[in-house]
Amino acid sequence: MSSLEGVVIADFSRVLAAPYATMMLGDLGAEVVKVEQPGRGDETRTWGPPHYEDEATYFLSVNRNKTSVQIDLSSEAGRQEARELIARADVVVENFKPGTMKKFGLDYESLGRDDLVYCSISGFGSGKGADLPGYDLLVQAVGGLMSVTGPGPYEPVKTGVALVDVLTGLHACVGILAALRHREATGLGQLVELDLLTVLLSSMVNQSAGFTLAGSVPKPMGNRHPSIAPYEVFPTDDQPIVLAVGNDRQFRRLCSVLDVPELATDSRFVTNSDRVENVDELFELLSVRLRARPAQHWFETLTPLGVPCGPVNDVAHAFALAESLDLDPTATIGDMTLVANPIRLSRTPVTYRLRPPKLEQ
């Protein structure tokens, strides 16, 4: 038996944040019925390259364990079909522009079901920000993430994936599961609302708290950490390596291996606070030593001593590392290899039952 066996989700979502959430719930055993626009489907079906055969890998990445139904919500017949689907559902998930589902008579209030869990995801909420477009890149910009990412203040950089969408999808899962637990106890559903902007502000954790608690407005530091050193990317003889030294003991061990034990007692570097204050000098001194050997040498030498480090892998090498650690990073459905769900449950493990649906299915 799966964790969410018997839970039915009417999935009116598209693109990434909400489809990621419904896929995670599908992996946990829920029945997910994806509602798509006739003849077109989810926008990400056309977002390629890359492709797997004739299908966009973007769409395939967040739509397994779902069936698909084409419904024209602009017609009364389509809206009636949608209401029939919702009537047998436990959960509705949607991420249309705020007000769209209300226009169709399919919003939480219009449906009037006390036992329904209804999750709405928007870019900037359903109030004053309702008309703002909820694109991940835009939220990274206006939400502050790009202001702390990149080499300097005039070179803001987005993350390499739509991270805000993914984080919002995960928060949506938490909200939906909490609402289902409450319904189990009381018989009552509820409206679950998320917006990309406040999810991002919450997910910036220490950077956000530095502002709310101390009035500190963080700036971009490249690959450095505002509160820890050495904690950044360093050059080696062949490729970049990351050092993530989190305490004084680790720093002393690092200095010993690099044959510069005197740095551990240097007044500029004795404590973490000292090292953060003098991070530029520390970087130069450590870089000279690290350039002497390849990254793999340092990884194999420092890791057994408890000094966190590792080469900067590409995605292929990252999957290879996970496989070498027996972490099973992929899952197979038929002849399709997808990224595995990272949640491991001892009694009700995730399952991979359905490949991402083709539009005609």
Side-chain angles (χ1 to χ4, degrees):
M1 180 177 180
S2 298
S3 301
L4 297 181
E5 185 174 327
V7 174
V8 178
I9 299 175
D11 181 8
F12 292 83
S13 68
R14 317 108 54 230
V15 189
L16 181 52
Y20 187 81
T22 54
M23 181 183 72
M24 297 291 282
L25 297 170
D27 290 351
L28 293 169
E31 177 189 345
V32 181
V33 182
K34 183 178 180 70
V35 176
E36 300 192 70
Q37 182 178 342
R40 177 186 175 187
D42 191 312
E43 294 96 309
T44 61
R45 288 185 180 276
T46 64
W47 287 10
H51 292 90
Y52 172 78
E53 297 178 351
D54 62 342
E55 298 177 86
T57 60
Y58 199 117
F59 174 83
L60 299 176
S61 70
V62 289
N63 284 290
R64 67 169 171 251
N65 282 334
K66 304 177 185 181
T67 57
S68 175
V69 58
Q70 298 182 62
I71 298 179
D72 180 6
L73 296 177
S74 67
S75 71
E76 179 52 40
R79 293 191 291 273
Q80 179 57 34
E81 188 176 353
R83 284 190 287 268
E84 290 172 0
L85 170 61
I86 293 170
R88 73 177 189 89
D90 302 283
V91 180
V92 170
V93 179
E94 65 91 13
N95 63 340
F96 287 111
K97 181 180 177 180
T100 300
M101 291 294 270
K102 183 176 180 62
K103 179 180 69 175
F104 295 144
L106 300 173
D107 58 305
Y108 179 68
E109 290 78 11
S110 298
L111 291 170
R113 268 186 55 193
D114 287 341
D115 65 337
L116 183 64
V117 173
Y118 193 109
C119 179
S120 289
I121 297 175
S122 65
F124 298 92
S126 58
K128 293 181 179 179
D131 291 331
L132 297 176
Y135 287 86
D136 184 279
L137 176 60
L138 175 62
V139 178
Q140 289 196 36
V142 302
L145 182 57
M146 290 178 67
S147 79
V148 299
T149 307
Y154 302 107
E155 301 171 87
V157 176
K158 72 176 182 66
T159 60
V161 297
L163 186 64
V164 185
D165 277 338
V166 174
L167 289 166
T168 303
L170 290 173
H171 281 76
C173 278
V174 174
I176 290 168
L177 292 173
L180 285 171
R181 175 65 185 89
H182 176 263
R183 191 185 74 162
E184 181 182 289
T186 67
L188 298 174
Q190 60 186 297
L191 177 62
V192 180
E193 294 183 283
L194 299 102
D195 66 87
L196 273 63
L197 178 58
T198 56
V199 166
L200 173 56
L201 293 174
S202 172
S203 299
M204 289 173 66
V205 288
N206 60 301
Q207 298 283 43
S208 291
F211 169 71
T212 63
L213 293 171
S216 173
V217 179
K219 303 298 182 184
M221 301 182 66
N223 291 309
R224 287 179 176 168
H225 194 286
S227 306
I228 309 172
Y231 196 100
E232 59 181 298
V233 177
F234 289 86
T236 70
D237 183 52
D238 59 349
Q239 71 179 100
I241 193 171
V242 159
L243 291 179
V245 176
N247 58 54
D248 297 339
R249 182 180 66 257
Q250 292 173 354
F251 182 65
R252 289 192 294 271
R253 291 174 179 172
L254 170 66
C255 293
S256 177
V257 170
L258 297 182
D259 199 26
V260 283
E262 65 275 12
L263 293 185
T265 57
D266 189 309
S267 61
R268 296 171 297 173
F269 312 128
V270 173
T271 69
N272 177 71
S273 296
D274 296 329
R275 295 191 291 275
V276 171
E277 185 71 22
N278 298 284
V279 67
D280 289 330
E281 299 96 314
L282 181 63
F283 176 82
E284 293 301 327
L285 291 167
L286 295 179
S287 294
V288 170
R289 308 303 298 183
L290 290 164
R291 284 192 182 100
R293 297 291 188 94
Q296 190 63 27
H297 167 81
W298 298 122
F299 176 62
E300 294 175 355
T301 304
L302 291 168
T303 299
L305 298 177
V307 179
C309 71
V312 179
N313 285 332
D314 60 22
V315 172
H317 286 93
F319 271 91
L321 173 61
E323 289 168 356
S324 73
L325 299 174
D326 296 328
L327 294 178
D328 300 325
T330 61
T332 301
I333 305 177
D335 60 354
M336 182 178 291
T337 300
L338 295 167
V339 182
N341 188 311
I343 299 172
R344 297 180 179 87
L345 298 170
S346 63
R347 295 188 185 277
T348 56
V350 300
T351 57
Y352 306 99
R353 307 174 305 282
L354 301 170
R355 67 154 351 256
K358 292 182 179 292
L359 188 57
E360 65 269 21
Q361 290 180 265

